[in-house]
């Protein structure tokens, strides 16, 4: 396979580091690798496949000679979009900046891989909770159609980056020692608590995180008619988001059929043998690239109802893995840009 | 007010101790108090209002001369039902043994207080998750009717008693120290994890906890037509259960109207000012008797939809407070039995 030049922007953060792990694990065909970050992190050194790389401050020239920029988050995709485009470098953007831009494909490779072909220099990686949900919804959507989804999330602190992880650890220790660790990254203490508030509040008193799950799912499925209502909650778990998903399908599906469909779906693992206490849990799905589904039940309060419990590592499949999979699609479909 | 003789059965457990706290806080009119437990806990001493009480092993004679037995849980209500009845002592039973018995009233004082009047010697206290949900549903039910409820729970470890609390603490310490603390009370580690499994699995692969929320709510509301589907999940929180509740009403209610109705409802506190980050969280509702509700939103995926986030101390309102409130109703309605 042809090797390409890759720049990782935001390489020192939680998602950036995971992107590097995944590029390495998947043997992504890299010719030259460049690591960039904001001036605050520039100068640090990061190991990749046994070689040390110095993190540079991101500038327009960071994209010169590069084929693909994997942007971990933040404002970099806005700041450097034109610079990257002018140099023929495609941005795969993990931030929310361009997700709802009708010109920008929003891609989950298991769901809408072909959408990468329409890119105009930038492809957006969806929100982590959206990715995890839509991987589970797609096979059901294809088999029976989906009318409505009611989802409640249980989201890990690493969704808020390294600082979220550190705050949970330090605060939990403080509680156990009887001392204080005031909240900083989160609005309230997260140790032994739940916070029903992720990202800012928007219209109808839903949070931005909740609206992302609605609007991004509609865009990824190319279906503005699918109805989704979400409640998103931060929980004191380090890693992997969990989701309780209630689905009303258009055609009736038996539980057996749903299990069969999901077992055969790409990127999914069915863990559903309740007599042997087999169901997905965030502690055991972390570090994995698949989305796990269990507690698959008929919801007999409606004619065509289902309940699922879905868990996935939101830093891997919910962010880094999905971004690297998009990069793989770019090579597979041969739709890189001309370097300029 | 007439004073009565009270025996607390299971006095040394988490719920039993909370029953004693609440009897004291509410100045329940006690003439004589007796504390009982299994032989394992008999002999210990417990303080109540400045006096020490020796815990006795429960026997048929524990009920002699008593008006009300508050049974914290376990098999005692089955073992001693006849003995208590023969002596004219009413059992208020926090166990699940008789909840679905059509002869036994299942009571939440804010919802169906009059049901105590039909007792035949025993009144059941509902499941904690059910109580918390139904206190929030009732005012909406009365105002607009309820067609369907989709609920996902976030349940604290103290729902599994003192051992649940100790396991969360010891296991969390172990994780932070890099050592091991194997699960014992729970099927899997609960520290920094979620377990989508509470109580045993039953028909259609729903857990008993999930079925309780369905069937007990129907019984309490005297409405076998109300549709409820539940997913119950254990979370690493010490105390207070949280519930993400999606409701389809029969008549349309605006969010403003729902807030008004819930603000005026007995036993409820509305905490819903998202711009000031005001919403219920388990850390701050623990030790309180009210059920807290926030994140009240229209669900516009259906014509008459609502989302609520409901949190309540499941040891107080979800168990002990509710039981003592039932005892208060017995005095208020003057429906004790003749002592024999």
């Amino acid at each position: 396979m042809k090797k390409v030049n890759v720049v990782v922007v935001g390489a020192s953060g939680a998602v950036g580091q995971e992107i590097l792990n995944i590029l390495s694990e998947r043997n992504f065909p890299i010719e030259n690798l460049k690591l960039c970050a904001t001036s605050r992190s520039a100068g640090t050194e990061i190991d990749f496949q046994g070689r040390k790389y110095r993190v540079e401050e991101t500038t327009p020239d960071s994209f010169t000679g590069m084929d693909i920029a994997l942007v971990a988050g933040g404002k970099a995709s806005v700041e450097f979009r034109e610079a990257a485009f002018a140099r023929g470098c495609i941005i795969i953007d993990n931030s929310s900046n361009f997700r709802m831009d009708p010109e920008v494909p929003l891609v989950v490779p298991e769901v809408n891989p072909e959408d990468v072909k329409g890119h105009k220099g930038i492809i957006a990686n969806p929100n982590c909770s959206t990715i995890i949900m839509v991987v589970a919804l797609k096979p059901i959507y294809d088999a029976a159609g989906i009318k409505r989804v009611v989802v409640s999330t249980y989201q890990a602190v690493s969704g808020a980056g390294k600082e979220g992880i550190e705050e949970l650890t330090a605060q939990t220790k403080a509680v156990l020692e009887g001392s204080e660790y005031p909240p900083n990254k989160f609005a309230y203490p997260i140790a032994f608590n739940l916070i029903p508030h992720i990202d800012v509040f928007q219209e109808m008193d839903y949070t931005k995180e909740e609206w992302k799950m609605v609007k991004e799912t509609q865009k990824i499925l190319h279906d503005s008619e699918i109805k989704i209502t979400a409640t998103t909650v931060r929980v004191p778990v380090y890693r992997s988001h969990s989701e309780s998903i209630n689905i009303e399908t258009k055609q009736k599906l038996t539980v057996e059929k749903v299990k069969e469909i999901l077992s055969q779906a790409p990127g999914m693992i069915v863990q559903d043998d309740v007599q042997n206490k087999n169901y997905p849990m965030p502690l055991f799905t972390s570090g994995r690239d698949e989305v796990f589904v269990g507690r698959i039940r008929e919801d007999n309060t409606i004619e065509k109802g289902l309940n699922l419990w879905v868990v996935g590592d939101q830093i891997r499949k919910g962010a880094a893995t999905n971004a690297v999979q998009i990069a793989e699609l770019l090579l597979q479909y041969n739709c890189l840009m001309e370097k300029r």
Side-chain angles (χ1 to χ4, degrees), chain A:
Chain A
M1 198 183 245
K2 188 193 163 210
K3 290 190 169 184
V4 291
N5 298 336
V6 174
V7 52
V8 177
V9 179
S12 50
V15 171
Q17 300 236 314
E18 201 66 42
I19 287 174
L20 291 171
N21 291 340
I22 289 162
L23 287 169
S24 178
E25 284 171 26
R26 297 174 79 99
N27 274 315
F28 189 81
I30 297 176
E31 182 73 44
N32 293 301
L33 177 66
K34 193 183 283 185
L35 306 188
C36 294
T38 57
S39 56
R40 199 164 51 95
S41 303
T44 56
E45 286 199 328
I46 291 177
D47 260 354
F48 180 78
Q49 296 187 325
R51 216 189 110 183
K52 280 201 188 311
Y53 289 77
R54 198 178 177 76
V55 178
E56 300 170 18
E57 183 178 349
T58 318
T59 67
D61 282 338
S62 303
F63 303 89
T64 306
M66 294 288 134
D67 297 289
I68 296 172
L70 291 155
V71 176
K75 289 283 157 215
S77 59
V78 175
E79 272 179 65
F80 299 106
R81 180 187 193 177
E82 284 178 26
F85 185 80
R87 287 161 180 80
C89 173
I90 301 177
I91 289 177
I92 300 171
D93 182 19
N94 195 53
S95 83
S96 63
N97 299 317
F98 297 105
R99 285 181 192 151
M100 295 313 297
D101 184 328
E103 300 272 287
V104 175
L106 183 68
V107 176
V108 178
E110 291 84 350
V111 180
N112 59 336
E114 302 280 328
D115 284 0
V116 300
K117 293 177 181 169
H119 79 81
K120 292 175 180 170
I122 183 162
I123 297 169
N125 214 31
N127 172 261
C128 47
S129 306
T130 308
I131 293 176
I132 290 163
M133 177 168 76
V134 84
V135 168
L137 293 184
K138 182 57 162 46
I140 295 169
Y141 185 87
D142 287 345
I146 293 179
K147 203 170 151 190
R148 179 173 178 241
V149 172
V150 178
V151 58
S152 298
T153 70
Y154 303 64
Q155 297 185 221
V157 294
S158 48
K162 284 178 178 174
E163 292 161 18
I165 298 171
E166 287 161 10
E167 188 154 312
L168 177 59
T169 299
Q171 209 167 57
T172 304
K173 277 185 184 158
V175 170
L176 294 175
E177 289 164 0
S179 65
E180 291 276 317
Y181 187 97
N184 176 30
K185 185 71 190 173
F186 300 112
Y188 293 97
I190 185 63
F192 306 112
N193 194 24
L194 308 168
I195 308 175
H197 168 194
I198 298 176
D199 211 331
V200 294
F201 285 102
Q202 296 186 329
E203 63 268 37
M204 295 175 71
D205 284 355
Y206 284 82
T207 61
K208 191 173 174 188
E209 185 81 2
E210 288 158 355
W211 282 121
K212 283 174 185 172
M213 293 189 79
V214 176
K215 294 174 185 171
E216 293 183 13
T217 302
Q218 291 175 335
K219 178 168 176 176
I220 296 163
L221 292 173
H222 301 264
D223 182 354
S224 58
E225 297 299 306
I226 185 173
K227 308 282 189 196
I228 300 160
T229 187
T231 300
T232 60
V233 180
R234 188 75 69 191
V235 300
V237 163
Y238 282 113
R239 196 158 163 158
S240 281
H241 288 352
S242 305
E243 304 179 2
S244 172
I245 305 180
N246 180 274
I247 302 171
E248 181 174 3
T249 57
K250 290 183 177 169
Q251 311 297 323
K252 177 80 181 169
L253 286 177
T254 63
V255 166
E256 290 61 40
K257 186 69 184 169
V258 175
K259 287 181 182 176
E260 185 195 319
I261 291 167
L262 294 177
S263 299
Q264 293 163 357
M268 289 226 74
I269 292 180
V270 174
Q271 273 197 326
D272 195 345
D273 176 6
V274 295
Q275 294 316 321
N276 290 307
K277 299 181 186 171
N278 188 17
Y279 33 71
M281 287 174 282
L283 196 61
F284 304 109
T285 58
S286 297
R288 300 289 298 269
D289 284 318
E290 300 89 351
V291 170
F292 292 74
V293 60
R295 302 293 329 271
I296 301 167
R297 290 155 290 158
E298 182 187 346
D299 166 11
N300 65 357
T301 66
I302 49 176
E303 246 185 82
K304 296 152 190 163
L306 293 169
N307 283 309
L308 309 180
W309 172 253
V310 175
V311 186
D313 185 327
Q314 91 286 0
I315 300 183
R316 291 182 71 100
K317 182 55 191 168
T321 303
N322 200 73
V324 174
Q325 286 175 310
I326 292 172
E328 290 170 347
L329 286 177
L330 287 171
L331 302 191
Q332 188 189 321
Y333 294 148
N334 200 15
C335 51
L336 295 175
M337 295 194 290
E338 282 290 304
K339 272 193 286 241
R340 279 163 289 201

